[in-house]
Amino acid sequence: MLILDCPYCGVSAEETELSAGGEAHVTREGPGSADDAFESYLFMRENPQGVHFERWRHSHGCGKWFHAARCTRTLEVFGTYSAQTTEPPQGIRDAISQKRPGWSWRDLA
Amino acid sequence: MSELLTSPAQALGGARFDGLVCVEEAPLQGMITLRGDFASPGFANVVSSAAATDMPGQREVRGTQDKALMWMSPDELALLCPYAEAAPMAAKLADMLAGSHALVANVSDARAHFLLKGPGLRDVIAKLAPVDMAPGAMPPGTLRRTRFAQVAAGIWMQDDATAQIFCFRSVAQYMFDLLSTAAAPESAVGHF
């Protein structure tokens, strides 16, 4: 079972109290963007076995969106962080590097 | 559930069940949803003076059933007040907060409230909600928004033997049935 700490209300929320919001840090390509960029925004997603970044919503709690970094293989959670960011904060990256040296995800490492 | 009532009434007419704990639909309760920037002195002053209490901290409830402020999220509070005062109070608050980025909504008729009384209430709630009900994790004065089986709900631990549970009025019967089932006399767990 997945348990994530909501960074907004401080609750350790169990999976059924949350709604999954898909992959994190996807750039929303709008009108006028290149076809390739728009296609990858619509269709291309990571499907890693290991470190992954996701969006979650505390839907049965405070209602806020947040980000989570976790391992898809072990369900280990490296940390959760604010939704108001376009990339994982350094603290989260350091926490992952400590436990999964040499990790990479998209263009992050 | 559609209802046509000529005067305000509780969703279940004050239904009551006695088991491991006493489950009772609370009398009509005024509840006003407030959203705004807690850090703005304008918002905080208006709201805390209306409720006659300090601003609650994270997941806290300040005040009594008659007048309380509940921390619902980093930008949302719920103000409890007597039912008849809710409409004028909401109008007054909306007036005082006019011009600032804030929302005031009287949701009294959109909620159902239940009171759980008895020392076994932590066990009863733990059967239904994915919440750590240990006294250290849910001390009196705490508010927790969560789900009870399939519906959203909030828990206010008033003291170790009293909790107020609120949910959407449309699911009041479901909530009462859930709570009554979890409080069935033969179903004691005795964990807490």
Side-chain angles (χ1 to χ4, degrees), chain A residues 6-14 16-17 58-64, chain B residues 35 58-59 71-75 130-131 144-147 150-153:
Chain A
C6 172
Y8 292 93
C9 65
V11 156
S12 262
E14 177 264 346
T16 62
E17 206 173 279
H58 196 186
S59 50
H60 277 107
C62 65
K64 299 296 180 195
Chain B
R35 298 195 85 142
Q58 193 181 51
R59 300 199 309 279
W71 190 96
M72 302 292 276
S73 88
D75 57 2
V131 175
R144 177 70 149 81
R145 292 173 77 178
T146 182
R147 68 179 176 89
Q150 300 185 43
V151 298

Side-chain angles (χ1 to χ4, degrees), chain B residues 113-132:
Chain B
H113 297 257
F114 296 91
L115 285 168
L116 261 59
K117 286 183 185 151
L121 71 86
R122 289 181 189 274
D123 276 326
V124 170
I125 294 175
K127 288 184 195 176
L128 299 169
V131 175
D132 182 359

